[in-house]
Amino acid sequence: GDSVTQMEGPVTLSEEAFLTINCTYTATGYPSLFWYVQYPGEGLQLLLKATKADDKGSNKGFEATYRKETTSFHLEKGSVQVSDSAVYFCALTQASRKLTFGKGITLSVRP
Amino acid sequence: DAGVIQSPRHEVTEMGQEVTLRCKPISGHDYLFWYRQTMMRGLELLIYFNNNVPIDDSGMPEDRFSAKMPNASFSTLKIQPSEPRDSAVYFCASSRTGGGTQYFGPGTRLTVT
């Protein structure tokens, strides 16, 4: 079945550092890919998405490119802020309509 | 729009009691999803509905769990009887289309003692 693998966490960075969170997937067909973010005490919210190969999703300074050849959707940000501290989930969906999530990774940004 | 609404936000109950969690999806969204989040197992899909009809309940842990969607604006997740291992945060989410962006509610934190 479909699956999403995220790098192990947690990740701790200093403010203004460069961020990369790795995500790879296994799926038949052509899934849509998502990054969701969960701030403390809240539900998940969509950060960005890409629906086909080579698409780049972007939002709030975060970017991720749908790489079919490497089955990856790595999340990047050039300069993180304390307010980016949260849990980040990579996910995919296909015709089944279900979102398949990775385990999530906790990011802590210190001032 | 008010977003997905869940109630209660927190629930503490004793083992063996019945627990009912409630969800109001975003108006116009045809899909509704129930998830459970724990430290050990992460985020798990329990069941989802399309146009009020349950489509896939393969994630429901056991017969103690049941979910209904009597109309387009309301869904419940019931646990009877509850057990300590049911302690988790339960999220409801809705989407306009299948495969589209899901919008999550704030969650219900359930503690079973």
Side-chain angles (χ1 to χ4, degrees), chain A residues 32-36 46-52 55-59 62-66 73 75 91 93 99, chain B residues 97 99-103:
Chain A
S32 294
L33 302 174
F34 303 81
W35 277 100
Y36 279 82
L46 179 69
L47 180 60
L48 53 84
K49 67 178 182 181
T51 58
K52 60 182 187 294
D55 267 3
K56 177 185 285 188
S58 62
N59 186 26
F62 291 89
E63 293 183 342
T65 301
Y66 190 142
F73 193 54
L75 183 68
T93 188
L99 270 175
Chain B
T97 62
T101 299
Q102 293 186 20
Y103 295 84

Side-chain angles (χ1 to χ4, degrees), chain A residues 17-103:
Chain A
F18 183 84
L19 169 71
T20 299
I21 301 177
N22 289 343
C23 170
T24 57
Y25 68 90
T26 301
T28 58
Y30 301 93
S32 294
L33 302 174
F34 303 81
W35 277 100
Y36 279 82
V37 59
Q38 185 179 25
Y39 297 103
E42 299 183 11
L44 281 71
Q45 55 185 273
L46 179 69
L47 180 60
L48 53 84
K49 67 178 182 181
T51 58
K52 60 182 187 294
D54 300 324
D55 267 3
K56 177 185 285 188
S58 62
N59 186 26
K60 299 181 181 180
F62 291 89
E63 293 183 342
T65 301
Y66 190 142
R67 301 286 189 199
K68 188 165 178 60
E69 63 275 15
T70 55
T71 62
S72 65
F73 193 54
H74 303 323
L75 183 68
E76 297 182 336
K77 186 174 185 181
S79 175
V80 294
Q81 305 300 310
V82 172
S83 57
D84 294 327
S85 298
V87 182
Y88 292 81
F89 294 89
C90 186
L92 68 81
T93 188
Q94 294 206 78
S96 67
R97 317 310 190 205
K98 297 191 295 187
L99 270 175
T100 299
F101 284 94
K103 292 190 178 297

Side-chain angles (χ1 to χ4, degrees), chain B residues 10 14-15 34 36 44-45 62 74 89 94 102 105:
Chain B
H10 302 274
E14 293 183 348
M15 183 173 62
W34 282 100
R36 178 172 68 176
E44 304 172 277
L45 175 67
E62 48 197 276
F74 184 65
V89 180
S94 69
Q102 293 186 20

